[in-house]
Amino acid sequence: MNLSDLLNGCIKGHRKSQDFLYEKYAGRLYFTCLRYIQNNEEAQDVLQESLIKIYKNIQNFDNDNEGAFWSWMNRIAVNTALNHIRDNKRFEETDISELENVLGFSEEEEECDSSLFSTVSSEKILQIIQELPSGYKIVFNMYVFEDFSHKEIAEKLNISINTSKTQLFKARKLILSKINQIIDNKLVKQAI
Amino acid sequence: MNINNNNIDDFIKKSMEGFEVRPPSQIKSSVFNKLFFYNLWLRRKRLLPFVIALLMVSSGAIGYSIYNPQLSISALKIYSIKKNTFKPLTQQPFENAQSEPQIQNDNKINNKETVKSSKAIDEQKSEPTKILTQKNDNDKIIPAKENNFNTQKNQNSNNNIIEKPALIALSNNSIQTPVNINPQEDIKTELITSYSPLPSPMALYNPNNLPECLASINSPKFKTQFLWSGSINYDIPIYSNSRTFEGSDQLAQKYSSSFKNTFGPIGINFRAEKKNLFFDFGIKYSSFQEKIQTPFGLTNPYDKENIDLIGHYITVDTSAYYHYYWISDSTVRIIDSVWTVEFDSTSHNLYDTTYTKIYDTVHNPVLSVKYTRLDFPLFIGWNTMVKRFQFGVSTGPIINLFINTNNSISPDYIYYETFKDLNGKFSKFKVGLSWQISASAGYFITNRLVVELSPYYRFRVINVKPDYSNATIRTSEIGVNAGIRYFF
């Protein structure tokens, strides 16, 4: 089934087309939800809500490009996740200095070898992203995966552009630090 | 290469590319459960004919139950009688019928008067009409009509039975009245089910023709009951414009086809009429054939299709649009939008304004498509009688249900596999909706049998169209419906 059939079918309420859309995109959408929301059950709620919004608004999508269609759906999932976070008052700018103390950040720039990085599984990376403080996580996801600019992020989250930049910077640093920890653990295990 | 703060985004994005997490299966069922009513709403156009049909059938059933002639007549009857204790009355029947409610009232008002001893009853043997009543444990007098035909057991076990002589039984326009009442006798009750047959439809149209006994009733129930009839009928199409293609004038000009009814439409029809108003419903079966008679072949490649062109194998990518083209001698003519043809590794865009010679073929295939359809007409109309003639007009929807389509192609066409049939895109059980306006003229050859002719104009409201195509069958038709109707 190509995209045009899929869209036509969903617009007409054909179950076959809706099934097809679900099978094709639900996994990726769920991944999007999990990037923003750590709790599985909440992520599933957000996925459900997103899918229903997609089915009910699919007639508003006016493009036969599959990439554009995915972007549109992903944007719906992201907005739904952000609304969920906002409704539950989970979004908070992470206090950097406090976090630095807790995590023991140093001024030194974190680095890791790309060959070693490739040994880290996608599941592990997802887990690292999920475990980020909510402020870091949201800014990082929006900037890296959804290609929002800092200005857009600032407007959407009602924060300053500088805050967005800082949170992204710290998120990267934290992720690198955790990836290095995983790699180190692996190397230690191998050495043993 | 080292990963640092400046390039980690790309590495993470790349490592997560195509990554997905399957959600639990209950999510899917939950989502579709929540979409159930939304999907129904989206399909409302398809469901509308069924809803209309359901409403009309329901209202017909309710109307029938209200105006059922048996119910009307039974209102004039008293139900319980003692077997062999009644004999025909010779007096005016409906005077008694009219006196019935009064007797019931008397019974209710003065219970003591109605609770009488058997002696008293014996004394009243000759009284013509009274109501069988029963005194229950609470000394409440229950009219026989409400008592729902007391059983023998009940009556024997209850010494308080008060026998009332009287009963009005309408049977073949006669009234019976009880004699020899004896409360100790075995009493059996039964419903009198025989009654006067309904007057003929002609009589109902003209109250002066009513049988005297019914006319004297002056009962509004006879005037309000539905008169039922059934007919067998056959449509004879005289003119129909068969098919147009939306959004493609060029196609409409070039493409011509003819429809031919191979069987029917033939159907049965039921009518409920009251005074001059009537409601029709029924079912019709028809099969008809569409024959494409142009010298052009028609094909509808969809999505990607491989076509063998003089030894070259080409791929046609229609970019998800549904295109039509004719294969004529030396010419492939593309009708709508853009075709991308990959030919010897080279892509060409073919536009509808460009007739591109691709290959020679002089085949003139004939494509015929056979459709089978059920129609469910639901009409409302008005008619009147002039002597033995009946004239009327009616209008209403016809629900069309396509139950089968199949096609054949002339066997001498060697590129059979490339010739896609149009009907393949029709789903079975597709539903459409037409509307019909008709006039009718009938002649009563007997009191109950009418021969009818009804010229009609029929047009399609909801099209039946092939999936993925702009092509629609938008028919309108003028014809005559011939039938014979019997009044029950």
Side-chain angles (χ1 to χ4, degrees), chain B residues 419-435:
Chain B
F419 200 96
K420 288 287 180 72
D421 57 296
L422 191 66
N423 75 307
K425 298 301 177 188
F426 276 90
S427 305
K428 286 183 179 180
F429 307 114
K430 205 133 193 165
V431 178
L433 185 69
S434 305
W435 197 274

Side-chain angles (χ1 to χ4, degrees), chain A residues 5 13 18-19 23 27 30-31 44 48 55-56 64 111-112 114 117 122 125 144 147 169 172 176, chain B residues 1-3 5 8-9 13 15-16 20-22 24 27-28 30 34-35 38-39 43 302 321 468:
Chain A
D5 301 340
Q18 291 174 336
D19 266 340
E23 295 301 332
Y30 188 41
F31 168 59
Q44 287 164 17
Q48 268 190 56
Y55 286 126
K56 289 188 175 178
D64 277 345
E111 279 190 348
C112 85
S114 61
F117 177 85
S122 300
I125 295 175
V144 175
D147 296 326
F169 176 80
R172 286 170 176 160
L176 261 178
Chain B
M1 184 181 177
N2 281 340
I3 300 174
N5 244 5
I8 189 173
D9 294 357
K13 208 170 175 180
S15 70
M16 302 300 275
E20 57 181 63
V21 185
R22 293 306 300 170
I27 299 289
K28 186 176 180 181
S30 172
K34 287 178 180 173
L35 285 173
Y38 178 71
N39 285 341
R43 294 180 203 151
Y302 180 65
Y321 287 102
Y468 317 119

Side-chain angles (χ1 to χ4, degrees), chain B residues 164-207:
Chain B
K164 50 357 20 2
L167 284 231
I168 302 171
L170 175 63
S171 177
N172 293 326
N173 293 333
S174 68
I175 295 296
Q176 294 178 331
T177 191
V179 293
N180 299 328
I181 299 289
N182 184 348
Q184 302 305 319
E185 276 187 29
D186 179 23
I187 295 173
K188 290 184 178 178
T189 60
E190 63 182 28
L191 171 67
I192 300 172
T193 54
S194 62
Y195 50 85
S196 171
L198 282 174
S200 75
M202 289 184 70
L204 280 185
Y205 277 110
N206 184 357

Side-chain angles (χ1 to χ4, degrees), chain B residues 466-478:
Chain B
D467 292 340
Y468 317 119
S469 170
N470 287 327
T472 59
I473 293 180
R474 186 185 283 279
T475 55
S476 60
E477 185 176 287
I478 294 173

Side-chain angles (χ1 to χ4, degrees), chain B residues 365-404:
Chain B
V366 175
L367 176 68
S368 61
V369 187
K370 191 178 176 187
Y371 305 90
T372 309
R373 199 178 71 191
L374 288 179
D375 292 338
F376 300 92
L378 300 160
F379 299 148
I380 184 170
W382 181 92
N383 62 13
T384 188
M385 290 276 301
V386 178
K387 296 184 177 176
R388 296 186 74 86
F389 290 94
Q390 186 185 48
F391 300 98
V393 289
S394 66
T395 187
I398 302 174
I399 299 157
N400 315 123
L401 180 66
F402 279 86
I403 55 174
N404 192 25

